[in-house]
């Protein structure tokens, strides 16, 4: 199974730039075109939150139009820039989101992986939260299928990154979440967003990562007093390949680059 991950698309209404600089819609269009052209074709596309910038219904309408060239199923979770009911309204017809409450979901079929989406959104705040109710839902959900390889999706990463201004709007409930992960070795990978760059670690032996954005990236600045800044580094997405019982993650960049060039000539000799 091949899964494409897009994160932090921050779509605004047509004609508006994010932070008065970033044409997030045009950049998402390029990312979508790159994924739509992939061979082999991903089986599923997941979008790990901050789908739109201001949580407005018209932004979701535009987002859906921008995602529509993707031939495969697209599954979304909410981030801190999203509005829960507007997200539900926009994607509710796709059948996996609940009719009320948190935007958690489970997709059991038809994939070899069980896909579990977690809602870490706190309305009106940048930080995320896994409260007692949400942790209980996760615990019960994972306990129902302990033998099935599982992919977890959540916008706020359940770890501190060292990028201080982002850690300040990080996830509350990390310790209890880690305990649940420790009890559920069927979790193959935890996919997050929020950081607008690829960061990887492990929690209780399970791999967890944040995905780059198809638009702006959070500046890599590990000074304790680093200002809250973004940088127009190469935009990206990720490809996660589940094969023979193991998951391999690839970072992809979006853009025009020279190549591909062959290593060998027609006679099989190394070109030096
Ligand atoms: Fe974001
Ligand atoms: Fe975020």
């Amino acid at each position: 199974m091949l899964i494409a991950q897009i994160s932090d698309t921050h779509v605004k209404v047509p004609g508006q730039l994010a932070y008065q600089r970033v044409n997030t819609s045009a950049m998402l269009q390029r990312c979508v075109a790159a994924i739509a052209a992939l061979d082999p074709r991903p089986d599923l596309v997941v979008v790990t939150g901050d789908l739109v910038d201001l949580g407005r219904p018209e932004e979701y309408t535009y987002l859906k139009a921008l995602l529509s060239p993707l031939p495969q199923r697209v599954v979304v979770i909410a981030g801190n820039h999203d509005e829960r009911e507007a997200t539900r309204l926009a994607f509710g017809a796709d059948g996996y989101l609940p009719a009320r409450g948190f935007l958690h979901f489970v997709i059991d079929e038809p994939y070899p992986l069980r896909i579990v989406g977690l809602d870490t959104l706190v309305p009106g705040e940048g930080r995320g939260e896994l409260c007692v109710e949400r942790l209980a839902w996760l615990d019960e959900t994972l306990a129902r299928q302990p033998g099935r390889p599982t992919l977890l999706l959540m916008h706020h990463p359940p770890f501190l990154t060292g990028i201080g201004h982002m850690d300040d709007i990080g996830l509350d409930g990390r310790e209890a979440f880690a305990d649940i992960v420790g009890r559920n070795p069927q979790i193959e990978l935890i996919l997050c967003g929020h950081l607008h760059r690829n960061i990887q670690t492990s929690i209780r032996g399970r791999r967890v990562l944040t995905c780059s954005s198809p638009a702006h990236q959070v500046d890599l600045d590990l000074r304790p007093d680093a200002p809250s800044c973004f940088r127009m580094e190469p935009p990206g997405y990720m490809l996660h390949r589940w094969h023979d019982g193991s998951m391999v993650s690839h970072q992809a960049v979006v853009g025009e680059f020279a190549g591909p060039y062959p290593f060998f000539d027609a006679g099989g000799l190394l070109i030096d």
Side-chain angles (χ1 to χ4, degrees):
M1 181 181 186
L2 189 61
I3 300 151
Q5 181 186 9
I6 309 175
S7 200
D8 293 82
T9 45
H10 286 260
V11 166
K12 298 179 80 77
V13 293
Q16 283 196 12
L17 302 177
Y19 311 105
Q20 300 179 353
R21 282 181 193 279
V22 188
N23 191 339
T24 51
S25 305
M27 296 185 84
L28 175 58
Q29 257 172 336
R30 289 196 278 275
C31 180
V32 163
I35 293 172
L38 285 173
D39 179 15
R41 179 179 280 190
D43 301 286
L44 177 70
V45 176
V46 299
V47 191
T48 43
D50 285 356
L51 309 169
V52 304
D53 204 41
L54 300 174
R56 294 180 181 159
E58 56 271 31
E59 292 177 330
Y60 289 97
T61 303
Y62 192 30
L63 168 69
K64 289 186 74 174
L66 292 167
L67 293 173
S68 65
L70 290 168
Q72 52 280 95
R73 184 178 191 185
V74 178
V75 163
V76 306
I77 58 169
N80 50 295
H81 282 257
D82 292 302
E83 202 281 318
R84 194 172 278 135
E85 297 314 317
T87 305
R88 196 191 319 270
L89 197 65
F91 293 95
D94 294 348
Y96 61 94
L97 294 175
R100 63 191 65 81
F102 295 120
L103 296 172
H104 303 321
F105 59 85
V106 183
I107 298 173
D108 274 316
E109 299 293 336
Y111 308 115
L113 289 164
R114 192 171 188 230
I115 316 286
V116 175
L118 260 182
D119 177 343
T120 58
L121 169 61
V122 180
E125 296 193 38
R127 73 182 176 100
E129 182 178 60
L130 286 177
C131 55
V132 171
E133 187 182 350
R134 293 186 242 201
L135 289 163
W137 181 88
L138 178 64
D139 210 10
E140 288 161 18
T141 299
L142 292 171
R144 278 204 297 275
Q145 297 262 359
R148 276 203 72 197
T150 298
L151 184 71
L152 254 186
L153 314 177
M154 54 198 292
H155 179 68
H156 294 82
F159 62 92
L160 294 178
T161 64
I163 299 178
H165 63 91
M166 294 304 292
D167 289 343
D168 288 344
I169 52 167
L171 181 72
D172 291 340
R174 292 193 302 272
E175 298 77 13
F177 174 81
D179 288 341
I180 292 174
V181 171
R183 291 196 297 274
N184 288 278
Q186 77 272 27
I187 298 172
E188 290 291 338
L189 180 61
I190 304 168
L191 301 183
C192 310
H194 197 47
L195 265 293
H196 292 235
R197 62 185 311 108
N198 180 229
I199 305 172
Q200 313 201 12
T201 187
S202 64
I203 292 178
R204 307 289 168 94
R206 316 320 295 165
R207 200 154 61 86
V208 49
L209 58 83
T210 66
C211 184
S212 53
S213 169
H216 49 297
Q217 316 303 318
V218 169
D219 196 26
L220 176 53
D221 189 341
L222 300 178
R223 292 175 298 171
D225 58 347
S228 178
C229 291
F230 64 88
R231 196 182 282 272
M232 300 312 291
E233 290 177 13
Y237 63 94
M238 294 195 79
L239 285 174
H240 308 287
R241 183 173 185 257
W242 173 250
H243 183 73
D244 267 355
S246 74
M247 185 78 89
V248 173
S249 298
H250 299 263
Q251 170 71 49
V253 288
V254 179
E256 295 296 320
F257 304 98
Y261 301 117
F263 287 112
F264 299 94
D265 67 17
L269 294 172
L270 186 64
I271 297 168
D272 58 9

